[in-house]
């Protein structure tokens, strides 16, 4: 068996995907495998990708990285969710807050009981029962494992960080763990004559880098997976029509918000990601309905603080590689697909893709069944996330611009149409085991975007109206008290993880 073990892995790309993959490989395999990262300073990285979702906290634990130290280095802040402004209608907003609102009662999630009360005519607001939504609204944050004196889950959170500093942070850790970095631009990919597997990469300097397994983290272009191995691409622009972004960092002004903001504009939306030393801003838009200049003007008119750089245009095509793993090449990050940054899922897909790869780690015989299984699971994961993203565009009442009219009336995947219909009937959600987004995520976005079910699950009526009213009142008191006791977000950051150079 040992003669079949893979001993040399080459990662092409030193962006977030490349270094995160290297860190996970090094942590799992130690020095049993030689890991080489090839990157080109001349090409650089995409330089955006600064908002994350809660599973990243588990990855830091797995990698043995101290959260405070990490946040200090990457000038990070905490993230409790995403505020969506003007999506369902102009002057309307809601937050997709991390963690479940309320407390489950028996086998039903809390939102079913909330729904039962709504349908009885009580004017109750779902997010008034969400610890993270309440804390976000007041710019407060604390690491709470549990709501004090209750069995309720505490604060679920993620991070905002500086993408450049993140890659640097991971790189230092990787190099300390024995990962080799080679600076250089790949000019040739050498395939084995007999089966088309990648044998080595030739750099512009003439250096040849040999490997047994290659991980393509080369960004949008997919130097190995697409240029060399022709994996093909499933284009999802008809469902996710935005195809460009203009990015612009600004100085920080105002309170340090512990959440991302996503503000819809006439042909796309604008992100605002608060970091310790600056704010990351960007306008994601659809080039069919808006020029680069117009998108830039809209962004410039809607940022606060001083501009720290020139606005930068990025182009992308939403979709995914038809096969993420081909022969001895796995693609991760932008090389494997991009569904747009609306729910900050891209970096997570590197984490989950690498986790899956480590579970199905091949030997030099490269069993096609393992490769097919990896590709099957990855395709499914992407499709489940895609549906969640499409929901944000489809569930709108806006028809004030051709872009929103298109989104409101577009055909959607059958899987999403079925989910929405089912929810409308009883507020129930069909969540698959491997869906990253759980029922409380779906419920918040569905309800936030105006899809209100006509009935609650019958079991939600098993608790009498008065008992439920009392329960919800008590819950509110507990949550308000808990949030009032939390520190201000900026003060918490300053005390626990202030930025260091
Ligand atoms: P890149 O950062 O592009 O890195 C590619 C690497 O490959 C570089 O090191 C480059 O030098 C190297 N390379 C390429 N070609 C060669 C060659 N020929 N020779 C040698 N080296 C080469 N994700 C989130 O999770 N949250 C977000 O909020 C978010 N926002 C985003 C906003 C926008 C507008 C975009 C476009 C993306 C966003 N993403 C977000 C996605 C996120 O940026 C990426 O998933 C993440 O940065 C990983 O990128 P990467 O490492 O795959 O690619």
């Amino acid at each position: 068996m040992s003669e079949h073990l893979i001993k040399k892995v080459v990662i092409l790309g030193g962006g977030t995907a490349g270094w995160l993959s290297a860190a996970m490989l090094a942590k799992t395999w130690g020095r049993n495998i030689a890991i080489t990262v090839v990157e080109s300073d001349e090409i650089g990285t995409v330089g955006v990708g600064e908002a994350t979702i809660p599973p990243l906290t588990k990855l830091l634990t797995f990698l043995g990285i101290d959260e405070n130290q990490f946040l200090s280095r990457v000038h990070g802040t905490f993230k409790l969710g995403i505020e969506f402004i003007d999506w369902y209608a102009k002057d309307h907003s809601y937050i997709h807050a991390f963690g479940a609102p309320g407390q489950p009662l028996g086998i039903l999630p809390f939102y079913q009981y909330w729904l039962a009360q709504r349908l009885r005519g009580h004017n109750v607001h779902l997010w008034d029962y969400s610890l993270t939504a309440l804390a976000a609204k007041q710019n407060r944050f604390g690491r709470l494992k549990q709501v004090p004196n209750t069995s309720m889950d505490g604060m679920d959170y993620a991070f905002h960080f500086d993408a450049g500093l993140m890659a640097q942070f991971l790189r230092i850790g990787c190099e300390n763990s024995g990962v080799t970095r080679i600076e250089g631009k790949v000019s040739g990919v050498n395939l084995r004559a007999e089966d088309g597997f990648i044998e080595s990469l030739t750099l512009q300097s003439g250096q040849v880098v040999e490997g047994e397994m290659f991980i393509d983290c080369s960004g949008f272009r997919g130097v190995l997976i697409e240029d060399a191995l022709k994996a093909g691409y499933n284009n999802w622009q008809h469902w996710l029509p935005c195809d460009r972004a203009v990015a612009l960092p600004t100085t920080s002004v105002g309170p340090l918000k512990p959440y991302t903001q996503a503000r819809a504009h006439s042909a796309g939306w604008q992100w605002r990601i608060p970091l310790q030393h600056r704010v990351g801003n960007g306008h994601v838009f659809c080039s069919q309905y808006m020029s680069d200049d117009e998108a830039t003007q809209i962004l410039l008119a809607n940022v606060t603080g001083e501009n720290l750089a020139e606005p930068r245009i990025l182009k992308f095509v939403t979709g995914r590689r038809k096969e993420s793993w081909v022969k001895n090449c796995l693609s991760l990050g932008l090389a494997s697909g991009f569904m747009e940054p609306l729910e900050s899922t891209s970096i997570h897909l590197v984490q989950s893709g690498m986790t899956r790869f480590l579970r199905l780690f091949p030997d030099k015989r490269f069993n096609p069944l393992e490769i097919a299984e990896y590709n099957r699971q990855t395709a499914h994961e992407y499709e489940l996330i895609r549906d969640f993203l499409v929901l944000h565009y489809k569930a709108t009442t806006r028809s004030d611009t051709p872009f929103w009219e298109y989104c409101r009336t577009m055909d959607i995947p059958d899987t999403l149409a079925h989910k929405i219909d089912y929810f409308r009937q009883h507020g129930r959600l069909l969540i698959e085991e491997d869906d990253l987004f759980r029922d409380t995520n779906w419920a918040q976005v569905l309800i936030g975007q105006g899809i209100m079910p006509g009935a609650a699950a019958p079991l939600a009526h098993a608790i009498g109206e008065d008992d439920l009213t009392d329960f919800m009142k008590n819950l509110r008191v507990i949550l308000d008290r808990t949030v009032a006791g939390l520190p201000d977000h900026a003060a918490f950051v300053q005390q626990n993880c202030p930025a260091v150079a």
Side-chain angles (χ1 to χ4, degrees):
M1 171 66 201
S2 65
E3 79 269 22
H4 297 301
L5 281 179
I6 284 176
K7 293 277 199 267
K8 268 192 262 177
V9 176
V10 176
I11 298 173
L12 175 60
T16 306
W19 286 115
L20 207 51
S21 303
M24 291 177 75
L25 258 181
K27 181 72 188 178
T28 315
W29 278 93
R31 293 180 191 246
N32 296 300
I33 286 184
I35 305 165
T36 304
V37 173
V38 179
E39 67 170 320
S40 156
D41 283 342
E42 188 193 323
I43 295 175
T45 64
V46 73
V48 283
E50 305 197 317
T52 62
I53 51 176
L56 188 68
T57 58
K58 295 199 174 61
L59 180 60
L60 292 191
T61 307
F62 168 74
L63 293 175
I65 295 172
D66 176 77
E67 232 173 69
N68 284 342
Q69 221 173 44
F70 168 74
L71 288 168
S72 292
R73 294 274 167 205
V74 299
H75 299 184
T77 60
F78 294 91
K79 173 177 170 186
L80 297 175
I82 306 172
E83 184 187 26
F84 290 95
I85 305 158
D86 296 344
W87 282 78
Y88 165 63
K90 277 194 168 172
D91 301 321
H92 172 276
S93 71
Y94 70 96
I95 186 164
H96 170 197
F98 297 145
Q103 181 186 23
L105 290 167
I107 58 170
L108 285 186
F110 171 81
Y111 78 82
Q112 284 286 358
Y113 294 94
W114 164 83
L115 189 55
Q117 289 296 75
R118 277 286 290 208
L119 293 166
R120 286 171 178 139
H122 294 260
N123 185 21
V124 280
H125 188 63
L126 181 63
W127 289 272
D128 285 347
Y129 302 90
S130 158
L131 177 67
T132 45
L134 291 169
K137 214 155 110 185
Q138 297 180 37
N139 294 327
R140 290 180 188 274
F141 180 79
R143 285 193 183 102
L144 272 189
K145 283 209 180 328
Q146 253 182 337
V147 174
N149 307 319
T150 72
S151 57
M152 286 170 72
D153 288 341
M155 202 82 109
D156 214 0
Y157 60 88
F159 313 112
H160 301 122
F161 53 66
D162 180 294
L165 295 177
M166 167 73 164
Q168 231 176 64
F169 176 87
L170 291 170
R171 175 181 156 185
I172 293 168
C174 284
E175 288 183 323
N176 288 340
S177 310
V179 175
T180 306
R181 173 185 182 268
I182 298 178
E183 161 64 33
K185 202 166 169 181
V186 169
S187 57
V189 181
N190 309 307
L191 305 182
R192 223 154 51 190
E194 64 269 30
D195 55 12
F197 276 51
I198 301 177
E199 214 165 36
S200 61
L201 310 178
T202 303
L203 308 188
Q204 264 180 356
S205 61
Q207 184 179 358
V208 174
V209 184
E210 291 181 342
E212 292 153 352
M213 177 78 209
F214 290 80
I215 303 184
D216 187 351
C217 297
S218 65
F220 286 127
R221 180 144 166 218
V223 173
L224 308 182
I225 197 77
E226 195 58 56
D227 288 356
L229 296 176
K230 314 278 180 245
Y233 200 72
N234 280 329
N235 181 319
W236 287 338
Q237 282 179 302
H238 48 297
W239 290 317
L240 294 169
C242 290
D243 59 354
R244 289 191 188 189
V246 49
L248 173 71
T250 56
T251 54
S252 304
V253 284
L256 189 66
K257 294 182 196 294
Y259 54 96
T260 306
Q261 285 174 298
R263 180 182 298 277
H265 288 308
S266 55
W269 62 278
Q270 176 181 341
W271 78 76
R272 184 182 188 280
I273 298 176
L275 307 177
Q276 290 189 45
H277 58 312
R278 65 167 168 84
V279 174
N281 307 281
H283 183 188
V284 177
F285 62 101
C286 177
S287 63
Q288 202 187 324
Y289 298 98
M290 186 174 278
S291 68
D292 291 0
D293 279 353
E294 198 185 342
T296 305
Q297 290 315 316
I298 290 175
L299 181 63
L300 288 168
N302 284 282
V303 292
T304 48
E306 302 290 315
N307 299 349
L308 290 172
E310 287 300 309
R312 193 163 58 97
I313 298 281
L314 298 151
K315 297 180 184 173
F316 55 86
V317 178
T318 52
R320 69 166 180 87
R321 285 287 161 234
K322 284 188 176 150
E323 292 188 326
S324 305
W325 180 350
V326 178
K327 300 180 194 283
N328 61 339
C329 174
L330 175 78
S331 59
L332 287 169
L334 298 171
S336 138
F338 185 52
M339 289 184 282
E340 83 140 82
L342 191 54
E343 285 279 356
S344 322
T345 43
S346 198
I347 294 168
H348 174 78
L349 282 166
V350 178
Q351 176 182 343
S352 66
M354 196 59 189
T355 305
R356 181 176 311 122
F357 176 66
L358 289 168
R359 283 202 192 109
L360 293 169
F361 202 83
D363 63 27
K364 283 193 230 168
R365 290 168 292 188
F366 291 97
N367 184 341
L369 288 178
E370 274 158 9
I371 299 177
E373 181 54 21
Y374 179 94
N375 285 330
R376 187 192 67 75
Q377 290 181 23
T378 304
H380 193 51
E381 181 181 37
Y382 266 78
E383 282 158 16
L384 290 167
I385 293 174
R386 175 202 66 198
D387 283 5
F388 190 58
L389 298 178
V390 175
L391 170 66
H392 297 66
Y393 287 95
K394 175 71 179 173
T396 180
T397 53
R398 289 187 62 165
S399 53
D400 53 303
T401 65
F403 172 80
W404 287 108
E405 182 61 13
Y406 171 79
C407 293
R408 195 178 59 79
T409 56
M410 70 181 166
D411 285 337
I412 54 174
D414 291 345
T415 40
L416 174 59
H418 184 54
K419 215 171 227 157
I420 294 174
D421 281 350
Y422 199 72
F423 184 73
R424 266 192 220 283
Q425 288 175 34
H426 276 292
R428 286 188 179 127
L429 277 159
L430 300 164
I431 303 297
E432 294 185 43
E433 198 53 51
D434 38 9
D435 195 339
L436 167 64
F437 294 105
R438 312 310 304 164
D439 51 3
T440 52
N441 305 107
W442 278 89
Q444 288 185 68
V445 175
L446 283 157
I447 292 162
Q449 303 234 169
I451 297 179
M452 194 56 77
L459 192 56
H461 295 277
I463 300 184
E465 184 172 350
D466 292 344
D467 287 345
L468 208 45
T469 304
D470 286 347
F471 170 76
M472 288 173 72
K473 260 193 199 146
N474 285 337
L475 195 55
R476 221 17 245 280
V477 170
I478 292 169
L479 291 173
D480 283 346
R481 194 173 52 216
T482 305
V483 171
L486 293 174
D488 171 70
H489 178 220
F492 187 90
V493 166
Q494 197 47 44
Q495 193 169 5
N496 292 279
C497 45
V500 293

